[in-house]
C-alpha cells in the first residue's frame, strides 16, 4: 500500500457522470479488498462488544509477522541481483518521499538470522517474506542466479531451525526491469515468465513444509502502479491496469499448476487486499456495489468462482475506468480455468473500510491513520470474514497482513494505538471463528519498520522499530503485546 494519491479524475461527459473523487483511490489503495457478495454491498455492521473473558483461538492457529523483499532486504546490487521496476522507479527521487530508495531498507539480506532470533523470542509461528524475482532470474527469465537461490535457502533454513514456518510470497511488486522493458504485466508473456520463476523456487525449496503466496495484492500493483502512477512502474493508463489485473491472475493460476506439478510440500494461494464498502445512505447502494466489484470481486470471483464480475470495469464512479471490451479480448479460451485452479487457502489482507456516497464516490467514514487511505474499523474485518464464509465457502482463510503505521516518522517504541488496533482486530477474528469462519491464522504487518513504497521511510509499520542508520532493532510495546497474545493463544477484552 501507499499513501493516498489523488485518483485520476475521470469525467464522462457523454453520460454526465461525475469525476471520481480522490478518496476512491484511497479505497483502492487500502491494502486489501474485502469481498462483498456477488449480490450486494457490505451491510452496515451491528454493534458488538467483546466478552468479559479472553477469547481463545484454535490450538493450531498460526500467528505470524510479514515483510516483503524490496521493503526490508537492501543489498539491491549484491550477489548478482538484477534491477527491478522499484530500483528504476526510486531512481527518480521525486517519486518517493525524501528521495528514498530500497537501500539499505532494514538490511535483512544480511540480518535474517538475527531477525529470525527476534521472531523466535516473540514466539511467532510463521514468517511471511517475499522473494526478489531478480535475485533468482536477474533478467526475469533464462539463467538462474545460484547465489539468489542460496540466499533464500539460507533464510528458509534459518526459520525452520527455529520452528518458524516459512510463508513465501513469489511476487510482491518488484518485477525484473527487463520484463518491464518488454511490457511488464501488460504483456501476456510475463505470465509464462512468472511460471518459469515459480518452478525454479518450487524445485529449490519445495522439500520444506511452507505456505506459498503467488501474487501479493494484484489490485494495488495494477491500480496504484499502472493507473494512479504512484507505484512502480509509474503508469497512468486504466487499460494497462486492467491488463495487469488479468495477467497477474493468469500468472497466479499458472503458478498454482506448477506447484501441483512440482510436488512441492505445503500449501498455496493468492494474497488479496480486500476492502468492505459501506453505503452512506440508501441511495448509495448501487455505487457501493460497483466499488465492491472493482475492489473485491474483480479478484475474488475469477480465482474462486471462475468468472469475472460484469460491473467492475467501465465508465462509472467506483469502477476501474478501462475499456471493458478490450479487457474481455485479453481473456483467451481456458484462461479462467487456469485462474480458478483450486488453491489450498485464501490469503487476505485487511487494513480498513471505505464509505460510498450516493454519487458512487468513496468517502471517509472512519478515523484514518497516518496512511490517509486507511479508514480504521475493526468490525469491518468481521463483516469481511463472514461475507467470505458465505460467498466463497469452504476455503481456509489466512489473514496475511493487518496493521497500522505510527502517527509520526520518528522512531518510537511506545505505540498504544497499535496495541488497540491489534487487540480489536484479533477480537473480531476470534468472533468470526466463533461464527463459523474457517480462519486459520493471522499475520501482523509488519515485523519491522521498512521502506513504505512512495512514503519512503516516513511511515513506520513495524511492531519492531528500526534505526535506519545503525540498523538496531527496537521492539515496540505492541511486539510485547503480540507476544503475550501468542503465548496465551487468546486475546483479552482490554
Ligand atoms: O507496506 C504495504 C505492503 O507492501 C502491502 N500491503 C500494505 C502495506 C502497508 O501499506
Amino acid at each position: 500500500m501507499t499513501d493516498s494519491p489523488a485518483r485520476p479524475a475521470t469525467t464522462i461527459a457523454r453520460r454526465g457522470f461525475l469525476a471520481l473523487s480522490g478518496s476512491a483511490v484511497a479505497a483502492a489503495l487500502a491494502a486489501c479488498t474485502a469481498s462483498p457478495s456477488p449480490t450486494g454491498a457490505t451491510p452496515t455492521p451491528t454493534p458488538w462488544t467483546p466478552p468479559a473473558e479472553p477469547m481463545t483461538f484454535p490450538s493450531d492457529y498460526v500467528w505470524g509477522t510479514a515483510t516483503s523483499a524490496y521493503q526490508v532486504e537492501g543489498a539491491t546490487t549484491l550477489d548478482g541481483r538484477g534491477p527491478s521496476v522499484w530500483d528504476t522507479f526510486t531512481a527518480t527521487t521525486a517519486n518517493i518521499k525524501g528521495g528514498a530508495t530500497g537501500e539499505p531498507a532494514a538490511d535483512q539480506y544480511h540480518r535474517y538470522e538475527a531477525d529470525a532470533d527476534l521472531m523466535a523470542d516473540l514466539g511467532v509461528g510463521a514468517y511471511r517474506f517475499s522473494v526478489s524475482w531478480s535475485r533468482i532470474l536477474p533478467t526475469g527469465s533464462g539463467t538462474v542466479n545460484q547465489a539468489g537461490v542460496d540466499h533464500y535457502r539460507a533464510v528458509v533454513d534459518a526459520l525452520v531451525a527455529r520452528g518458524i514456518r516459512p510463508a513465501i510470497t513469489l511476487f510482491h511488486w518488484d518485477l525484473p526491469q527487463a520484463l518491464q522493458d518488454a511490457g511488464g504485466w501488460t504483456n501476456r508473456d510475463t505470465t509464462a515468465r512468472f511460471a518459469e520463476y515459480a518452478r525454479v523456487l518450487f524445485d529449490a525449496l519445495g522439500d520444506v513444509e511452507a505456505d506459498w503466496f503467488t501474487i501479493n495484492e494484484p489490485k494495488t500493483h495494477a491500480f496504484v502502479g499502472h493507473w494512479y502512477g504512484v507505484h512502480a512502474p509509474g503508469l497512468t493508463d486504466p487499460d494497462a491496469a486492467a491488463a495487469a489485473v488479468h495477467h497477474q491472475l493468469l500468472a497466479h493460476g499458472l503458478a498454482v499448476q506448477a506447484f501441483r506439478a512440482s510436488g512441492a510440500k505445503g500449501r498455496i494461494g493468492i494474497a488479496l487486499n480486500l476492502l468492505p464498502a459501506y453505503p452512506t445512505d440508501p441511495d448509495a447502494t448501487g455505487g457501493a456495489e460497483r466499488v465492491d466489484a472493482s475492489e473485491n470481486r474483480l479478484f475474488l470471483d475469477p480465482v474462486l468462482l471462475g468468472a469475472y464480475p460484469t460491473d467492475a470495469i467501465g465508465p462509472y464512479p467506483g469502477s476501474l475506468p478501462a475499456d471493458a471490451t478490450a479487457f474481455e479480448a485479453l481473456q483467451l479460451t481456458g484462461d479462467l480455468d487456469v485462474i480458478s485452479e483450486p488453491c489450498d487457502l485464501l490469503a487476505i489482507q485487511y487494513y480498513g473500510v471505505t464509505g460510498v456516497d450516493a454519487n458512487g464516490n468513496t468517502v471517509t467514514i472512519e478515523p484514518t491513520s497516518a496512511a490517509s487511505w486507511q479508514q480504521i474499523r475493526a468490525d469491518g474485518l468481521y463483516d469481511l470474514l463472514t461475507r467470505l464464509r458465505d460467498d466463497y465457502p469452504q476455503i481456509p482463510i489466512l489473514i496475511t497482513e493487518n496493521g497500522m503505521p505510527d502517527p509520526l516518522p520518528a522512531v518510537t517504541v511506545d505505540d498504544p494505538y497499535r496495541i488497540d488496533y491489534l487487540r480489536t482486530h484479533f477480537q473480531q477474528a476470534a468472533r468470526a471463528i466463533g461464527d463459523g469462519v474457517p480462519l486459520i491464522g493471522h499475520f501482523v504487518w509488519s515485523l519491522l519498520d521498512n521502506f513504505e513504497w512512495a512514503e519512503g521511510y516516513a511511515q513506520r509499520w513495524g511492531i519492531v522499530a528500526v534505526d535506519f542508520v545503525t540498523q538496531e532493532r527496537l521492539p515496540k510495546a505492541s511486539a510485547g503485546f503480540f507476544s503475550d497474545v501468542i503465548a496465551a493463544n487468546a486475546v483479552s477484552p482490554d
Side-chain angles (χ1 to χ4, degrees):
M1 303 306 295
T2 180
D3 201 348
S4 57
R7 183 176 191 160
T10 303
T11 306
I12 297 94
R14 191 167 61 83
R15 299 286 303 274
F17 288 109
L18 299 177
L20 296 176
S21 76
S23 58
V25 170
L29 287 175
C32 308
T33 27
S35 54
S37 81
T39 51
T42 310
T44 302
T46 45
W48 177 84
T49 47
E53 295 303 311
M55 302 177 80
T56 57
F57 292 85
S59 57
D60 56 353
Y61 200 68
V62 177
W63 294 104
T65 57
T67 62
S68 85
Y70 193 76
Q71 293 183 270
V72 297
E73 283 183 353
T76 55
T77 57
L78 284 192
D79 297 340
R81 177 186 178 279
S84 80
V85 292
W86 272 95
D87 298 296
T88 307
F89 194 66
T90 56
T92 300
T93 54
N95 286 337
I96 312 292
K97 203 171 268 184
T101 73
E103 199 65 80
D107 192 32
Q108 194 176 74
Y109 188 76
H110 296 112
R111 297 169 192 267
Y112 61 88
E113 292 271 4
D115 286 345
D117 283 340
L118 184 55
M119 284 185 273
D121 287 348
L122 292 177
V124 163
Y127 178 46
R128 176 172 176 251
F129 62 97
S130 79
V131 173
S132 158
W133 184 341
S134 62
R135 285 196 200 281
I136 305 298
L137 295 161
T139 59
S141 181
T143 306
V144 172
N145 175 35
Q146 192 56 42
V149 174
D150 292 347
H151 171 72
Y152 291 108
R153 175 89 238 178
V155 171
V156 162
D157 288 348
L159 295 172
V160 171
R162 291 161 178 83
I164 299 170
R165 183 178 175 91
I168 309 168
T169 307
L170 291 170
F171 179 69
H172 198 121
W173 310 343
D174 46 356
L175 191 75
Q177 183 60 41
L179 294 184
Q180 187 62 41
D181 294 343
W185 288 112
T186 67
N187 179 353
R188 188 179 173 93
D189 184 60
T190 298
T191 65
R193 304 284 70 78
F194 183 72
E196 175 190 343
Y197 156 63
R199 274 191 294 270
V200 172
L201 287 172
F202 298 149
D203 287 348
L205 305 176
D207 59 310
V208 175
E209 195 51 59
D211 289 328
W212 293 84
F213 308 102
T214 53
I215 308 274
N216 176 74
E217 297 185 10
K219 176 179 65 182
T220 310
H221 189 56
F223 289 16
V224 186
H226 296 72
W227 172 19
Y228 311 155
V230 173
H231 279 185
L235 305 182
T236 52
D237 176 358
D239 290 312
V245 168
H246 182 62
H247 291 146
Q248 286 181 95
L249 294 180
L250 183 59
H252 153 76
L254 291 171
V256 175
Q257 291 182 337
F259 182 77
R260 303 289 181 224
S262 74
K265 291 183 183 171
R267 305 178 292 194
I268 193 162
I270 189 169
L272 300 178
N273 54 320
L274 302 176
L275 181 74
Y278 297 100
T280 54
D281 64 59
D283 293 339
T285 305
E289 286 182 358
R290 276 195 303 280
V291 170
D292 177 51
S294 64
E295 293 280 338
N296 304 316
R297 284 183 278 123
L298 181 58
F299 304 89
L300 287 161
D301 286 8
V303 170
L304 297 171
L305 304 178
Y308 281 112
T310 54
D311 52 350
I313 294 180
Y316 311 103
S319 303
L320 165 58
D323 181 336
T325 307
F327 182 66
E328 274 177 34
L330 295 169
Q331 299 166 38
L332 305 189
T333 305
D335 280 6
L336 280 157
D337 292 337
V338 174
I339 291 171
S340 58
E341 188 72 34
C343 293
D344 302 306
L345 47 78
L346 172 67
I348 66 158
Q349 317 206 143
Y350 178 80
Y351 287 91
V353 303
T354 189
V356 181
D357 69 15
N359 295 319
N361 296 319
T362 53
V363 292
T364 301
I365 55 169
E366 299 294 345
T368 56
S369 72
S372 57
W373 51 264
Q374 184 179 33
Q375 297 186 45
I376 295 176
R377 182 165 177 164
D379 60 7
L381 176 61
Y382 174 82
D383 287 346
L384 170 59
L385 291 168
T386 50
R387 183 257 178 106
L388 292 172
R389 175 202 63 198
D390 295 342
D391 292 348
Y392 308 94
Q394 283 158 5
I395 186 156
I397 300 170
L398 191 55
I399 299 170
T400 43
E401 288 188 23
N402 184 219
M404 67 174 293
D406 294 322
L408 298 171
V411 170
T412 184
V413 294
D414 185 19
D415 59 347
Y417 38 86
R418 187 175 283 105
I419 292 175
D420 187 55
Y421 180 97
L422 294 177
R423 177 186 287 115
T424 53
H425 285 74
F426 294 162
Q427 288 168 348
Q428 295 294 335
R431 178 188 174 201
I433 293 168
D435 287 344
V437 173
L439 182 64
I440 59 175
H442 203 134
F443 288 63
V444 171
W445 184 272
S446 176
L447 171 67
L448 302 171
D449 291 343
N450 58 48
F451 175 78
E452 176 56 19
W453 309 114
E455 293 300 311
Y457 296 98
Q459 255 177 36
R460 293 174 175 271
W461 289 76
I463 57 171
V464 175
V466 175
D467 179 326
F468 293 113
V469 176
T470 63
Q471 291 297 342
E472 190 181 359
R473 271 58 169 156
L474 303 158
K476 302 180 190 180
S478 60
F481 166 77
F482 189 38
S483 188
D484 290 346
V485 168
I486 296 170
N489 201 29
V491 59
S492 46
D494 47 34

